[in-house]
Amino acid sequence: MASAPISQPACPQPLAAVQAFASAHYDESGAARFGIDVAGLATLLTEVLEQRDPTAPPAEVQSLLAALRVEELVLSRACMAGHDTAWEIFLTRYRAPMYEAAYKIARDEATARVLADSLYAELYGVNQRGESRTSKLHYYLGRGSLAGWLRTVVAQEYVNQYRRAKRETSLETAIEGGQQFPAAEEAESPVTDPRIAAETAFELAALNAEDRFLLAAYYLDRHTLAEIARLLRVHESTISRKLDRVAGGLRKRIRKGLIAAGMSARQADETMQDVDVCDLPVNVRETLRQGMREASFYQEKGGEQG
Amino acid sequence: MNRGIPKSVGDALASPRPAEEHPSSDLLNGYVEHSLSAAEKAGVAMHLAACEECREVVFLSSGATEEPSVTAIAEPARVWHGWKWAVPAAALLALASSILVEHRERLAPVRQAATQTSSNQANPVMSPGVATSSVAERDHLPPKPASNAALAAKLNPPGYQRATTGGGKKTFSSDQIASAGAVAGTSSQNRDELAAFSNPAPTTVPPPQAAVPHNATATSSAGAVAPSPLQTAVAQQPPIAHTFGALGRSGFQSLNKSAASPGLGGAIHVSIAPPAHWRITADGHLERSAAADTWTRVLADRPVVFRAVAVVLNDIWTGGDNGALFHSIDGGNNWSQVVLSADGRPETSAVVSIQFDDVWHGSVATQAGSRWTTSDRGQTWTKQ
């Protein structure tokens, strides 16, 4: 995955609000144990705010500061600076959880260890060739917990590794591995009425982002209700009801739009190629194939997604 | 049931997304942890709706979330599970006690006659063979917390309680059940457990400040089983807590009926499996015993010479060399390691004593003389 280049801190001048916040939260931040004084903490916070949103108006600074994980942020910056005590604390707190997270993500001990080790090198600020560079901790901006950030970074690295490995697998290796390839699809695909594409695009765009995410996660990626519910921190039944509502509403609105565009009700139904829920997986897979040249990550991991 | 989406919607959702930069790992983590502002959340969700890779990242990250730790344990859930077992347990106890007392009533005339002939009317007001021991023993039981009465009232059906005061139908109050246990010639251990059945309040998890019976066993001072230079000790789980723990695990299999002492003429005797014992062996291993003379090594995979163990309700604490400290909240089935550190410096001196007043408040002493205290069940420790 592409990521933004690391920007060098510009050492902006702290705002008064930041200075006041640094003074008020200096003790709980634990900055003193890393030799960071109040002014240093204010500068650190200002840099983080600049990284997060350089255009944030001063009025919003207060709320941004209030939501910061100051203690973990200070620890990460102290680690970046190579503070021994900070690294001791970091390792004590996060070493085991990080390996555990890597194992849960990779589901394979060797892969998990490689993942975690490579991440450690990046956190230390050294790449695999031993060249020095900026620590990856620079990307931690205190929005969530440091442990959660580490899990996310491990997950990102895992997805990256998977895609890299996928690209590097030769055709021979794939065939030896038992992979089968579908016959080339027929050139002519059923001619779709342009009105349905336009109507669908319109109605999808009218959905809010969360609803689109829900549809994609469930119908395209085939995540379970439980997985989605866990991510969104709601009950499975809530997700189920919401999916019903969103999908049903979408279907109705598209149908209505098609009829308004001049189709008969029967024609609209046929054009929409109404699918029974039992047939849905087949159609979704077809859809994914059409959308992407390489096999989908989820198709590859389909067995694990359950 | 989800009805599915039209094919055209699937096509549109899966269509190649416009090239755009992925959200930072910090933003994705914020989304997973629900710590983003509304604007940030909407932005990330919009990207996630179109980006399969980032969707996978957030789902992987969410799935790799740590299992609920000590802090994440929902205390109300424990209370609920306790009640689930407590209700049938109380019902069983009531049944057993009824049978017991029924027997006693049936034998009372016979025993009364025997008592009258043998005691030469030494104690004429005493009810035959019952009052002395039961009342005396009951006086030694710990005082019932006020909340126990309410809980007992919930456990006992209304008719049950009315009958205790009004007489008539043979039903018994909690105290009577406890005294019946004493009369029945059960051991004091069993009597405590009978009292625990009839008085299940301790199964409720108290609030942090609530007074829990101070059952924590300081390691070095507890009854030593095998003397050793490493302060070998045995800690016994409190009977009440263990009673319910054992019932929860074994599904009341430990509750059995057997012939009681001859003095009771075959009265029903309720015996319950002994509580688990904990000890540290001479060579520094932690062991648990659920049955007599059967010790199972616990945390055997940890290269630690254990020196102290303490038990309070289902919380087990043990520690040893190099500041090692372990905590189990489920009676020793699962353990988590606790790191004692102050100012970024982890404790390296051996833990030689653990003392917990209740599940929340406790202290740990090290060989170097430092003392660590906690008031939040070991979540945070303060060095003194």
Side-chain angles (χ1 to χ4, degrees), chain A residues 124-166:
Chain A
Y124 273 113
V126 179
N127 66 6
Q128 289 178 346
R129 291 188 295 278
E131 300 160 350
S132 180
R133 66 175 185 181
T134 308
S135 167
K136 199 158 193 162
L137 285 165
H138 183 78
Y139 292 115
Y140 176 64
L141 300 178
R143 282 187 176 93
S145 69
L146 187 50
W149 178 80
L150 288 168
R151 283 195 297 272
T152 303
V153 172
V154 171
Q156 277 181 328
E157 186 57 29
Y158 180 64
V159 172
N160 287 346
Q161 280 191 10
Y162 177 83
R163 292 201 174 277
R164 274 200 300 271
K166 181 73 191 158

Side-chain angles (χ1 to χ4, degrees), chain B residues 31-106:
Chain B
Y31 186 83
V32 172
E33 296 195 341
H34 293 246
S35 58
L36 298 182
S37 66
E40 287 175 327
K41 188 179 173 187
V44 174
M46 194 174 294
H47 178 87
L48 289 175
C51 178
E52 181 190 3
E53 291 175 24
C54 288
R55 282 201 301 271
E56 179 58 16
V57 168
V58 295
F59 274 105
L60 282 173
S61 179
S62 167
T65 308
E66 290 171 58
E67 295 299 325
S69 60
V70 174
T71 50
I73 287 195
E75 297 293 353
R78 290 186 63 189
V79 173
W80 169 243
H81 288 304
W83 275 98
K84 276 203 306 192
W85 287 111
V87 173
L92 270 179
L93 179 69
L95 179 67
S97 304
S98 301
I99 297 169
L100 171 73
V101 177
E102 198 71 39
H103 268 269
R104 191 160 52 85
E105 289 293 322
R106 216 181 300 159

Side-chain angles (χ1 to χ4, degrees), chain B residues 275-336:
Chain B
H277 289 70
W278 292 85
R279 74 175 182 186
I280 291 174
T281 62
D283 53 349
H285 289 107
L286 177 66
E287 292 186 336
R288 170 174 55 189
S289 167
D293 298 329
T294 308
W295 292 91
T296 311
R297 198 163 282 185
V298 179
L299 289 172
D301 56 335
R302 303 284 182 161
V304 175
V305 175
F306 290 100
R307 297 188 176 211
V309 61
V311 180
V312 53
L313 297 176
N314 267 341
D315 278 33
I316 319 293
W317 289 89
T318 185
D321 282 355
N322 297 321
L325 184 63
F326 296 87
H327 180 207
S328 168
I329 58 166
D330 55 4
N333 293 324
N334 295 291
W335 293 86
S336 57

Side-chain angles (χ1 to χ4, degrees), chain B residues 9 13 19 23 29 53 104 171 232 293 303 306 349 356 363:
Chain B
V9 175
L13 285 171
N29 176 46
E53 291 175 24
R104 191 160 52 85
T171 49
T232 301
D293 298 329
F306 290 100
S349 179
F356 267 75
S363 64

Side-chain angles (χ1 to χ4, degrees), chain A residues 17-18 21 45 49 60-70:
Chain A
V18 178
F21 181 86
L45 293 173
L49 292 177
E60 285 184 17
V61 166
Q62 201 64 257
S63 61
L64 288 175
L65 286 170
L68 275 184
R69 301 275 193 139
V70 181

Side-chain angles (χ1 to χ4, degrees), chain A residues 56-299:
Chain A
E60 285 184 17
V61 166
Q62 201 64 257
S63 61
L64 288 175
L65 286 170
L68 275 184
R69 301 275 193 139
V70 181
E71 195 265 344
E72 289 166 291
L73 198 54
V74 167
L75 176 65
S76 69
R77 292 306 185 266
C79 287
M80 274 176 62
H83 201 287
D84 287 342
T85 306
W87 274 110
E88 279 177 27
I89 296 172
F90 183 89
L91 292 175
T92 304
R93 278 195 205 168
Y94 301 112
R95 188 173 184 276
M98 207 168 91
Y99 276 98
E100 192 181 340
Y103 181 75
K104 283 180 179 171
I105 287 169
R107 300 178 190 183
D108 167 73
E109 193 157 353
T111 312
R113 194 154 285 277
V114 169
L115 266 179
D117 288 343
S118 65
L119 178 56
Y120 261 123
E122 291 188 78
L123 293 177
Y124 273 113
V126 179
N127 66 6
Q128 289 178 346
R129 291 188 295 278
E131 300 160 350
S132 180
R133 66 175 185 181
T134 308
S135 167
K136 199 158 193 162
L137 285 165
H138 183 78
Y139 292 115
Y140 176 64
L141 300 178
R143 282 187 176 93
S145 69
L146 187 50
W149 178 80
L150 288 168
R151 283 195 297 272
T152 303
V153 172
V154 171
Q156 277 181 328
E157 186 57 29
Y158 180 64
V159 172
N160 287 346
Q161 280 191 10
Y162 177 83
R163 292 201 174 277
R164 274 200 300 271
K166 181 73 191 158
R167 279 197 294 271
E168 289 166 2
T169 305
S170 69
L171 187 61
E172 289 78 12
T173 310
I175 293 170
E176 282 170 11
Q179 185 171 342
Q180 296 183 344
F181 298 92
E185 292 186 11
E186 295 175 6
E188 80 282 0
S189 57
V191 178
T192 53
D193 192 314
R195 284 176 293 182
I196 190 168
E199 197 60 40
T200 303
F202 176 78
E203 293 298 342
L204 267 181
L207 286 179
N208 68 42
E210 191 109 350
D211 288 347
R212 283 206 303 279
F213 168 59
L214 198 60
L215 289 176
Y218 186 76
Y219 289 111
L220 295 187
D221 304 342
R222 308 202 53 71
H223 283 294
T224 62
L225 291 176
E227 288 169 333
I228 300 171
R230 178 175 182 156
L231 175 65
L232 299 180
R233 295 187 186 174
V234 293
H235 196 270
E236 284 178 46
S237 59
T238 306
I239 298 294
S240 178
R241 282 196 303 272
K242 194 167 184 181
L243 276 170
D244 273 346
R245 183 173 53 75
V246 174
L250 193 60
R251 176 186 296 273
K252 276 182 194 168
R253 285 194 298 275
I254 292 174
R255 186 174 183 274
K256 193 174 174 183
L258 289 175
I259 292 171
M263 285 188 185
S264 68
R266 183 175 176 180
Q267 196 182 1
D269 289 339
E270 286 174 354
T271 310
M272 285 171 66
Q273 297 179 15
D274 251 337
V275 287
D276 186 82
V277 68
C278 300
D279 300 330
L280 189 64
V282 177
N283 290 322
V284 170
R285 289 209 173 107
E286 289 299 316
T287 304
L288 278 169
R289 278 205 199 101
Q290 289 169 17
M292 298 189 173
R293 281 179 178 273
E294 66 178 55
S296 158
F297 183 90
Y298 299 97
Q299 285 174 284

Side-chain angles (χ1 to χ4, degrees), chain B:
Chain B
M1 174 64 78
N2 302 306
R3 291 194 59 215
I5 50 175
K7 184 174 179 300
S8 62
V9 175
D11 286 342
L13 285 171
S15 61
R17 57 190 160 76
E20 65 175 42
E21 201 170 86
H22 294 286
S24 69
S25 48
D26 195 58
L27 272 170
L28 291 179
N29 176 46
Y31 186 83
V32 172
E33 296 195 341
H34 293 246
S35 58
L36 298 182
S37 66
E40 287 175 327
K41 188 179 173 187
V44 174
M46 194 174 294
H47 178 87
L48 289 175
C51 178
E52 181 190 3
E53 291 175 24
C54 288
R55 282 201 301 271
E56 179 58 16
V57 168
V58 295
F59 274 105
L60 282 173
S61 179
S62 167
T65 308
E66 290 171 58
E67 295 299 325
S69 60
V70 174
T71 50
I73 287 195
E75 297 293 353
R78 290 186 63 189
V79 173
W80 169 243
H81 288 304
W83 275 98
K84 276 203 306 192
W85 287 111
V87 173
L92 270 179
L93 179 69
L95 179 67
S97 304
S98 301
I99 297 169
L100 171 73
V101 177
E102 198 71 39
H103 268 269
R104 191 160 52 85
E105 289 293 322
R106 216 181 300 159
L107 294 172
V110 179
R111 265 198 274 130
Q112 191 169 15
T115 307
Q116 282 170 351
T117 54
S118 63
S119 65
N120 293 325
Q121 298 180 345
N123 193 0
V125 293
M126 187 189 306
S127 121
V130 176
T132 314
S133 59
S134 63
V135 171
E137 293 291 344
R138 206 179 343 151
D139 288 344
H140 287 86
L141 291 175
K144 234 195 295 187
S147 60
N148 292 2
L151 284 170
K154 284 184 181 177
L155 284 176
N156 300 333
Y160 181 91
Q161 288 184 330
R162 275 196 301 272
T164 59
T165 54
K169 195 176 177 183
K170 282 293 175 192
T171 49
F172 300 89
S173 69
S174 303
D175 285 349
Q176 284 172 309
I177 291 169
S179 61
V183 173
T186 55
S187 67
S188 93
Q189 175 67 52
N190 287 342
R191 188 174 58 253
D192 287 346
E193 287 162 348
L194 276 171
F197 271 114
S198 59
N199 180 17
T203 56
T204 60
V205 178
Q209 280 75 29
V212 177
H214 289 197
N215 291 313
T217 313
T219 57
S220 324
S221 58
V225 165
S228 82
L230 292 175
Q231 295 176 313
T232 301
V234 172
Q236 177 179 327
Q237 284 182 263
I240 291 174
H242 175 78
T243 300
F244 279 94
L247 287 172
R249 284 192 293 276
S250 63
F252 300 101
Q253 287 175 358
S254 60
L255 188 68
N256 56 58
K257 298 173 181 179
S258 62
S261 61
L264 284 169
I268 298 300
H269 172 94
V270 178
S271 81
I272 297 165
H277 289 70
W278 292 85
R279 74 175 182 186
I280 291 174
T281 62
D283 53 349
H285 289 107
L286 177 66
E287 292 186 336
R288 170 174 55 189
S289 167
D293 298 329
T294 308
W295 292 91
T296 311
R297 198 163 282 185
V298 179
L299 289 172
D301 56 335
R302 303 284 182 161
V304 175
V305 175
F306 290 100
R307 297 188 176 211
V309 61
V311 180
V312 53
L313 297 176
N314 267 341
D315 278 33
I316 319 293
W317 289 89
T318 185
D321 282 355
N322 297 321
L325 184 63
F326 296 87
H327 180 207
S328 168
I329 58 166
D330 55 4
N333 293 324
N334 295 291
W335 293 86
S336 57
Q337 184 162 11
V338 178
V339 177
L340 299 171
S341 70
D343 297 328
R345 298 189 175 184
E347 178 62 71
T348 54
S349 179
V351 172
V352 293
S353 170
I354 304 171
Q355 177 73 49
F356 267 75
D357 299 328
D358 55 48
V359 291
W360 302 95
H361 302 88
S363 64
V364 165
T366 67
Q367 198 166 32
S370 52
R371 187 167 176 270
W372 300 77
T373 59
T374 181
S375 57
D376 55 5
R377 209 181 186 184
Q379 271 300 292
T380 56
W381 291 86
T382 307
K383 190 174 185 179
Q384 295 180 336

